[in-house]
Amino acid sequence: MTGNWEKISSMNHKRSEFSLTSLNGYLYAMGGFYRNVVEKYDPKRDEWQIILETNHREYSLTGTEHKGKIYTLYGFETGFKVYSPLDNTWNRLPSLPEKLFGKALVSINDKLWAIGTYRKNGGKNEFSCRIFEFDTNTEKWTLLPNI
């Protein structure tokens, strides 16, 4: 490692508002405006490969690795899915209980946290932070105390 930026191969498809997550030494690019493909980057070969096409074009994604799988929250809605690289499949999971804007998904203490803002009392410009915790064993969301 030289401490300098290096250019790598371009993805097969241009994207914006997609999720880029690392898992087992590879990068996975998922979704994005007008994209319904998952691409996997192999840094040893400097090569992107399309590994999966989906039925839905999902954008404004956030994703994270958790227990060998990639979890994603997508769109401006409440959709939630998991990608398994072992069998190269997506599965839908229980949706977030409410819409979050500017959201992030992180793996913390054996659980997943969805962090973002929501519209307070239906107000147009009144926002507050929300944190939901997802238990992958029970597949249930819990609202955590506000911060």
Side-chain angles (χ1 to χ4, degrees), residues 73-108:
L73 289 168
Y74 55 90
F76 296 107
E77 298 300 322
T78 58
F80 187 47
K81 293 197 309 190
V82 60
Y83 172 74
S84 171
L86 294 177
D87 54 9
N88 198 35
T89 58
W90 282 105
N91 288 305
R92 291 192 184 278
L93 294 168
S95 296
L96 266 172
E98 56 186 71
K99 291 181 185 180
L100 294 178
F101 301 93
K103 59 191 172 283
L105 185 65
V106 295
S107 177
I108 297 176

Side-chain angles (χ1 to χ4, degrees), residues 44 49 81 84 120 137:
K44 292 178 182 167
Q49 175 185 9
K81 293 197 309 190
S84 171
K120 221 168 132 181
N137 296 317

Side-chain angles (χ1 to χ4, degrees), residues 133-144:
E133 181 179 79
F134 185 78
D135 185 324
T136 56
N137 296 317
T138 64
E139 293 193 352
K140 297 203 182 297
W141 288 102
T142 302
L143 176 63
L144 298 180

